Amino acid sequence: MDIENQNQEEQLDLLTAVEHIVEWACGSGLNADFYRVADTDISYLSNRLNLTKKQSVMLALLIDYSNDVYISVSDWGRCVDCRTTRIIKYMADIDVLEKREFVRRCSLSNNERRISYRVPYEVVEAFKNNEIYVPRKLSGLTCEELFKEFEIIFDLRKANDLTYDAACQKVEDLLEQNFQLLFVNKIMGYGLDIDDLMLLVLFSHLFVNCGDDNISLNDIEFLFEHLRWNNIKAMLNRRQHALIISKIVEWNNNDGFIVHNSLSMTEQAKDDLFGELNLVTLDAQKKRNDVIKTEEIATKKLFYSDAVSLKIDELTRLLDNSHYLQIRARMEESGFRCGFTCLFYGAPGTGKTETALQLARLTGRDVMQVNISQMRSMWVGESEKNIKRLFDRYRTKVKAAKVAPILLFNEADAIIGKRMEGAEKSVDKMDNTIQNIILQEMESLDGIMIATTNLADNMDKAFERRFLYKIRFEKPNAKARASIWHEMIPSLNDEELDTLSSRYDFSGGQIENIARRYTINNVLYGDVSTRENLIGFCNDERLESDRHSRIGF
């Protein structure tokens, strides 16, 4: 380089070099004369940015159009008077600029064939400050940082600032550079093709970054170009997509019915993929109604017969966590099953469900409550899958919790009744299959399961054998009823308690109903003659038709 050119380079900065290159390039056809006269500026840009001379020219032309939202190749092709065939020769150089993140390939809507470019704002800022643009470090990220990068990529794609191919490349680069993360190991271990991988990353982004567990097809469509999306949508609707077959994604359901156009990641997939993230999970975000936290269970005094009271006390001691762990270890050493299965059976309103909740409160355990109606589905095979997913989810919770939660099948009559022999109807076959699955799961259960039922006489013998503890809840005797009346309405005197407890053979649940009506009546009308109204409430609870029969206090 001669002294004159050296002095010129010393006076240059990045934007000045770009300006000079563009001035020389206009109308030149990018011929040899252009490269000769602009050599000082091109060499300056090339040396500072470690680019070839052709790449430096392409970058200068693109930066000159940086105010445009979409820079088409034909725009600057016309400016420099280049034919299309000559422009094609430069496409590989533009690809290098894209890889170095000097430019970003984008598209108009989902039309991937009309390729345009955009110069990112941070690149322009670096040139303004005469600084070399250095992309952010993307290796060695934490899982939280990785998901922030996913968010940026999908936001750009949604704004059509990235083509689908460019978004795929960015996601693949991120995954390849962060193989130290459990999430990356797991997601790559599924062996998915690029379309399915991108869809799974999108589902993961929506769950982690947006807290979205109710994803519609409209939430996904932006990612793919039209033809590719139509194929993916059809596979999802037919439930033949790889993510559904692999039980990574599922259609949501409401009370057992499939909710079309609403997808979510399965609990199993969430547990597999997001273990290293310190997530406030959807269990906490949405206060899932199937999980009752131990601290949310209100203290409630219950009354039992002496025989039932002894059994409940024994079960409470067993479920105390220090005793539970000792007994579980001893059973495992002896080759016994480690699960504790309990059946609470008896008339309605005798405190079966409330006893399960109070056991959980006293022993510091959460309760995973099963709504049987939500387990059943109109779609053949779905109910069975729901039951399997339920037990998979419970196993995961047991492993993750310091104190094993209780799996509560409340009002389990429908699933522990006698199986249908020679079942021919699809519903009967489905019920039999569900029961078989539950029986198998009870055999291998490592945790605590409590089932409540009002109809023990109809229970299948196979279930009866698998319950370790069976406690029959009876209606309270007169003494216990008087105690319940006093607990519910402390203002009642001894005579009133004796009259109510001896006259009405109510369960604790029925007494609670009357006490609630009594309290409501007090709020509405005050204490005037509400004692008399108690008799009316009792008769209503008993569904008596003779409203004129009265018993005075």
Side-chain angles (χ1 to χ4, degrees):
M1 181 183 296
D2 57 32
I3 294 175
E4 183 179 354
N5 284 342
Q6 183 177 352
N7 290 336
Q8 288 177 346
E9 282 209 9
E10 289 174 353
Q11 297 173 9
L12 285 174
D13 57 48
L14 291 173
L15 274 184
T16 302
V18 166
E19 184 182 3
H20 291 168
I21 292 169
V22 172
E23 288 175 351
W24 290 113
C26 286
S28 70
L30 301 183
N31 56 25
D33 287 341
F34 157 72
Y35 276 98
R36 180 178 55 79
V37 297
D39 183 66
T40 299
D41 300 282
I42 296 172
S43 296
Y44 173 80
L45 210 59
S46 177
N47 292 333
R48 283 207 61 183
L49 302 180
N50 193 25
L51 297 170
T52 67
K53 291 186 176 182
K54 285 185 178 181
Q55 292 162 6
S56 299
V57 171
M58 293 300 102
L59 179 57
L61 292 170
L62 288 165
I63 287 177
D64 189 56
Y65 282 88
S66 61
N67 286 334
D68 291 354
V69 176
Y70 297 104
I71 309 169
S72 68
V73 176
S74 58
D75 288 339
W76 53 260
R78 285 190 294 271
C79 172
V80 299
D81 195 23
C82 267
R83 299 182 64 85
T84 302
T85 52
R86 185 162 180 80
I87 292 173
I88 291 172
K89 293 181 180 180
Y90 284 94
M91 297 307 293
D93 297 299
I94 300 176
D95 289 343
V96 173
L97 297 179
E98 184 183 5
K99 194 171 185 63
R100 292 275 303 274
E101 299 188 28
F102 285 114
V103 299
R104 185 178 294 149
R105 192 173 0 172
C106 49
S107 61
L108 296 170
S109 69
N110 276 357
N111 189 346
E112 303 289 342
R113 296 181 180 180
R114 296 183 61 186
I115 301 300
S116 301
Y117 295 91
R118 181 176 297 177
V119 180
Y121 171 80
E122 54 268 26
V123 174
V124 176
E125 285 297 299
F127 270 68
K128 280 171 57 180
N129 297 322
N130 197 31
E131 296 173 350
I132 299 172
Y133 172 69
V134 179
R136 289 172 295 109
K137 178 186 176 185
L138 296 178
S139 61
L141 301 178
T142 66
C143 207
E144 289 81 0
E145 291 169 338
L146 179 73
F147 272 89
K148 289 302 178 187
E149 295 300 325
F150 288 152
E151 186 171 24
I152 292 169
I153 292 170
F154 288 121
D155 283 349
L156 290 171
R157 176 61 184 148
K158 200 163 192 175
N160 291 314
D161 284 352
L162 280 180
T163 62
Y164 176 67
D165 289 341
C168 289
Q169 186 62 57
K170 284 183 174 295
V171 167
E172 285 185 311
D173 288 346
L174 271 173
L175 295 176
E176 287 174 5
Q177 294 179 57
N178 292 280
F179 219 82
Q180 79 283 355
L181 296 175
L182 174 65
F183 171 82
V184 176
N185 272 266
K186 289 283 187 180
I187 204 170
M188 298 300 283
Y190 289 138
L192 301 170
D193 65 27
I194 185 58
D195 290 342
D196 296 341
L197 178 68
M198 288 296 290
L199 186 57
L200 178 51
V201 172
L202 176 58
F203 268 99
S204 300
H205 152 68
L206 291 172
F207 176 74
V208 173
N209 290 326
C210 307
D212 194 348
D213 206 29
N214 185 17
I215 299 164
S216 72
L217 296 179
N218 293 334
D219 297 326
I220 305 169
E221 184 176 7
F222 78 90
L223 179 59
F224 303 98
E225 52 85 23
H226 294 305
L227 292 177
R228 185 181 271 112
W229 169 239
N230 288 338
N231 180 55
I232 291 170
K233 182 168 62 174
M235 296 295 285
L236 287 169
N237 282 325
R238 293 198 297 265
R239 290 184 288 171
Q240 295 175 350
H241 194 277
L243 297 186
I244 292 178
I245 293 171
S246 301
K247 299 181 180 179
I248 300 170
V249 167
E250 63 187 353
W251 288 101
N252 285 321
N253 71 80
N254 183 15
D255 289 332
F257 292 90
I258 297 296
V259 179
H260 288 287
N261 201 38
S262 177
L263 293 149
S264 66
M265 298 187 70
T266 64
E267 294 298 327
Q268 180 180 337
K270 294 171 193 171
D271 293 332
D272 284 345
L273 293 174
F274 307 133
E276 64 197 313
L277 282 168
N278 185 23
L279 286 177
V280 177
T281 65
L282 286 189
D283 281 3
Q285 290 171 0
K286 296 187 175 181
K287 293 284 184 183
R288 292 181 65 120
N289 58 12
D290 62 343
V291 177
I292 304 171
K293 308 296 286 184
T294 184
E295 61 270 17
E296 296 172 355
I297 302 172
T299 302
K300 191 168 185 178
K301 189 173 182 179
L302 297 172
F303 300 89
Y304 311 106
S305 68
D306 291 342
V308 171
S309 185
L310 286 173
K311 291 179 180 179
I312 298 299
D313 288 345
E314 179 184 348
L315 198 53
T316 304
R317 289 195 300 273
L318 185 155
L319 295 183
D320 174 78
N321 203 45
S322 59
H323 292 155
Y324 170 81
L325 293 175
Q326 292 173 10
I327 296 169
R328 184 199 167 283
R330 180 70 62 86
M331 292 177 72
E332 189 173 31
E333 290 172 6
S334 302
F336 293 121
R337 295 195 299 269
C338 297
F340 293 88
T341 51
C342 312
L343 178 70
F344 295 170
Y345 66 100
T350 50
K352 300 182 293 296
T353 302
E354 191 60 47
T355 296
L357 295 176
Q358 293 304 311
L359 279 170
R361 182 186 64 81
L362 291 168
T363 58
R365 301 181 186 280
D366 295 340
V367 177
M368 185 172 161
Q369 186 168 237
V370 181
N371 186 329
I372 301 301
S373 65
Q374 290 183 353
M375 290 292 105
R376 303 170 71 88
S377 171
M378 64 178 289
W379 302 102
V380 175
E382 284 300 318
S383 292
E384 297 94 315
K385 292 176 184 177
N386 287 340
I387 292 292
K388 288 179 180 178
R389 282 195 289 263
L390 166 73
F391 280 97
D392 286 341
R393 185 163 165 254
Y394 178 69
R395 273 189 288 271
T396 300
K397 287 188 175 295
V398 169
K399 290 178 182 177
K402 293 181 180 178
V403 180
I406 293 172
L407 179 62
L408 175 60
F409 281 84
N410 200 26
E411 297 181 1
D413 310 339
I415 60 169
I416 65 175
K418 292 178 181 177
R419 284 170 287 179
M420 298 286 293
E421 295 185 7
E424 295 183 359
K425 293 182 179 179
S426 59
V427 173
D428 294 335
K429 290 179 180 179
M430 180 184 69
D431 285 344
N432 283 353
T433 302
I434 290 173
Q435 289 176 309
N436 289 334
I437 293 170
I438 295 174
L439 287 169
Q440 292 168 9
E441 293 289 353
M442 289 176 72
E443 286 286 337
S444 59
L445 182 75
D446 189 0
I448 304 157
M449 173 180 164
I450 298 177
T452 70
T453 180
N454 302 329
L455 304 172
D457 291 342
N458 191 46
M459 185 168 60
D460 193 285
K461 293 296 182 183
F463 279 101
E464 186 176 337
R465 290 194 302 271
R466 282 169 173 78
F467 284 111
L468 181 62
Y469 284 82
K470 294 179 273 288
I471 302 177
R472 184 172 184 268
F473 285 69
E474 301 173 339
K475 280 191 174 183
N477 57 25
K479 180 181 177 181
R481 288 197 295 273
S483 298
I484 297 171
W485 278 113
H486 180 65
E487 179 72 17
M488 298 290 180
I489 309 177
S491 60
L492 293 174
N493 60 38
D494 291 344
E495 181 186 353
E496 292 164 344
L497 291 172
D498 181 65
T499 300
L500 291 168
S501 61
S502 60
R503 175 66 179 178
Y504 296 101
D505 184 22
F506 285 148
S507 68
Q510 289 173 303
I511 295 173
E512 182 177 10
N513 280 344
I514 297 165
R516 290 173 64 196
R517 287 196 63 187
Y518 173 82
T519 302
I520 292 169
N521 205 65
N522 274 345
V523 172
L524 291 176
Y525 306 112
D527 293 332
V528 179
S529 72
T530 52
R531 295 286 201 274
E532 292 294 324
N533 289 336
L534 267 175
I535 297 300
F537 298 153
C538 290
N539 291 337
D540 288 343
E541 186 68 26
R542 208 164 55 173
L543 301 179
E544 286 188 355
S545 59
D546 183 7
R547 292 289 186 263
H548 299 290
S549 64
R550 295 184 52 170
I551 299 173
F553 289 105

